[in-house]
Amino acid sequence: MSRPIQIKKHPFPSLLYLEWTLLAITALTAVIPPPLRRFRPKPPELSICGAFPDLSVCSILPELSIFSLIIFALMGLRLPSNKQTTKVIYTVIEILLILIIGFFGERFARLFPFLYIILVTRSCLIFQLPGRLFVTSLSFTLFLITTQLKYQLFNFQASPQAQERYRFLILNSSLVFGLSLVFVLLMMNAVLSERQSREKLALANEKLRQYAMQIENQATLEERNRIAREIHDSLGHSLTALNLQLETALKLWQSNPGKAETFLATAKELGSKALKDVRQSVSTMRSNPLQEQSLERAIASLSENFHRSNGILPIYKINLEYSLPPEINTAIYRITQESLTNISKYGYATEVKLELTTTRGNLRLIIQDNGRGFDLGQNTTGFGLHSMRDRTLALGGEFNISSTLGSGCKITVDIPLTRLA
C-alpha cells in the first residue's frame, strides 16, 4: 500500500470537532446522575471504587480519570506522522488513558466505549490498513475484557435475575459496539481512500502540467531546429551554387566575357531562387519544397543544377515501386540536396553517383563521390550532417556515413516502409 497521508495539522478538522462534541456529550452524561425510579434500589457503580469503596486510592482516582480524559481529548489536536515507533507509543498512551477512565472513573466509565471509537478513528489517520485492523480488534477485545470484569464485580451485589438481565445487556452492547467499530473502520477507510485519490489526482495533474510544459518546450525547440534545417538546406544550397557561379565568372571575365556573362546570368537566377527560398522558409515553412514535382523530377533538377555549377553530371538511378508519403519525399529531397551541396563545397569530386531504390519494404538512398573525403572523427559535427541524420531518424530510419581522406565519401540512408507495403 501507499504511505499514509502526511499530516502537519489535523487532516480532518470536522472529525476533530466531532470528537470534542462526542466527548462533551458523554462527559455531560457522566456528570448528570441517572434518574431514580421508585421502588428500585440504586444500582451499584460498575467500577473498582464502586465495588471496593474502602480502597485508599479511591479518593484521588476520580480526579485522575478527569485528568486522563482531558489529556486524551488534547492528544487529538496533534497526530504523529513520522516514525512508526512514535505512532505506536501514541496509541499505547491512548489505550492506557482509556483503561484508567474505564476502571477508575465511576460515572465517567459510562463513556469509555465511545473513547474506543475515537481511538479507532485516530488510528485510521496514522496507520495503514494492518495497523487499523489491529487497533480495531484490540479495542473490541479490551471492551470485552473490561465488560467481563465489571460483570464479575456486579455479581457480588446483584441477584440472579439481575445478573441474567445484565448478561443479556452485555451481549447486546458488545454486538452493537462491535458493529459500530466495523462501521467506523469502513467509513474512515472510504474517506481516506477518497482523500488519497484526490491527492494522487492532484499530483497526476501537476505532473501532466509539467509534462505538457516540457513537451511544449521540446516542440518549440524541434520547430526551431526544423526551421534552421529548412533555411540551411534550401538557402545554403542556393548560396553555395551562387558563390561558385560568381567565382567562375570572375575567372572568365577577362579571357572569355561571353561565357562569364552566362555564369553571371545563372548566378542571378540562383540569387532569385535564394531570395524565394528565404521568403518561403520564413513565411510558410510547411510548404512542400518539391513544389508539386515528383521525387524523381526534383532529384533530376538537383542534378542539373549541380552539373551547371560544377561541370559534373551526377549518375543517378531511381527505382521506386510505389509512391511515397510527402514527409519521406521531403526528407529524401533535402538529404540529397544537402549531400550535393557538401560535395560542391568540400568534395572536389570528379564523379558523383546517386541511387534511390525500394526493396522489401525499405527505401534506400546511396550518395557516393570520389572526392578527397574527410576524417569521420573530426568532421561529423557540421549542421548539414546533423540535419540529414535528424531527418532520417525522425522517420525511424538509419543514417550511415563512411569516408576516409583521399577516398571520397559514401552516405547511406535506410528508411522502413513496412506500413506502406
Side-chain angles (χ1 to χ4, degrees), residues 19-35 66 69 101 105-112 114-115:
E19 287 183 11
W20 282 76
T21 301
L22 182 60
L23 289 172
I25 293 175
T26 50
L28 184 62
T29 304
V31 173
I32 299 176
I66 296 175
L69 180 62
I101 298 171
E106 295 188 356
R107 290 181 179 178
F108 281 97
R110 301 172 189 169
L111 61 88
F112 86 95
F114 299 101
L115 300 183

Side-chain angles (χ1 to χ4, degrees), residues 334-364:
R334 291 303 193 193
I335 292 172
T336 303
Q337 184 183 53
E338 179 60 28
S339 298
L340 295 177
T341 300
N342 288 340
I343 294 173
S344 298
K345 288 181 179 179
Y346 315 112
Y348 297 97
T350 59
E351 185 179 275
V352 178
K353 294 181 180 179
L354 187 150
E355 182 179 354
L356 179 62
T357 57
T358 54
T359 55
R360 296 181 181 180
N362 185 73
L363 175 67
R364 168 164 287 189

Side-chain angles (χ1 to χ4, degrees), residues 249-320:
L250 286 175
K251 292 178 181 179
L252 297 175
W253 179 252
Q254 294 181 352
S255 61
N256 194 345
K259 194 171 184 180
E261 186 177 353
T262 302
F263 281 101
L264 288 175
T266 304
K268 183 178 182 301
E269 292 178 2
L270 291 173
S272 300
K273 184 179 182 300
L275 181 60
K276 183 179 179 181
D277 288 340
V278 170
R279 290 174 178 173
Q280 289 180 346
S281 298
V282 173
S283 61
T284 56
M285 293 300 300
R286 296 180 181 177
S287 63
N288 186 359
L290 277 66
Q291 298 180 351
E292 306 302 328
Q293 300 180 88
S294 65
L295 183 58
E296 295 90 336
R297 181 56 192 154
I299 292 178
S301 298
L302 288 176
S303 300
E304 294 172 1
N305 293 334
F306 184 84
H307 179 240
R308 288 198 302 268
S309 301
N310 300 275
I312 303 171
L313 181 61
I315 302 172
Y316 61 91
K317 175 184 176 183
I318 300 178
N319 182 17
L320 301 177

Side-chain angles (χ1 to χ4, degrees), residues 140 143-144 169-181:
F140 185 69
F143 172 80
L144 293 179
L169 179 62
I170 290 177
L171 180 62
N172 287 341
S173 61
S174 300
L175 181 60
V176 172
F177 182 69
L179 293 177
S180 300
L181 291 181

Side-chain angles (χ1 to χ4, degrees), residues 236-246 266-267 270 305 309 341 344:
H237 175 77
S238 299
L239 292 180
T240 300
L242 173 61
N243 186 55
L244 292 174
Q245 296 293 325
L246 292 175
T266 304
L270 291 173
N305 293 334
S309 301
T341 300
S344 298

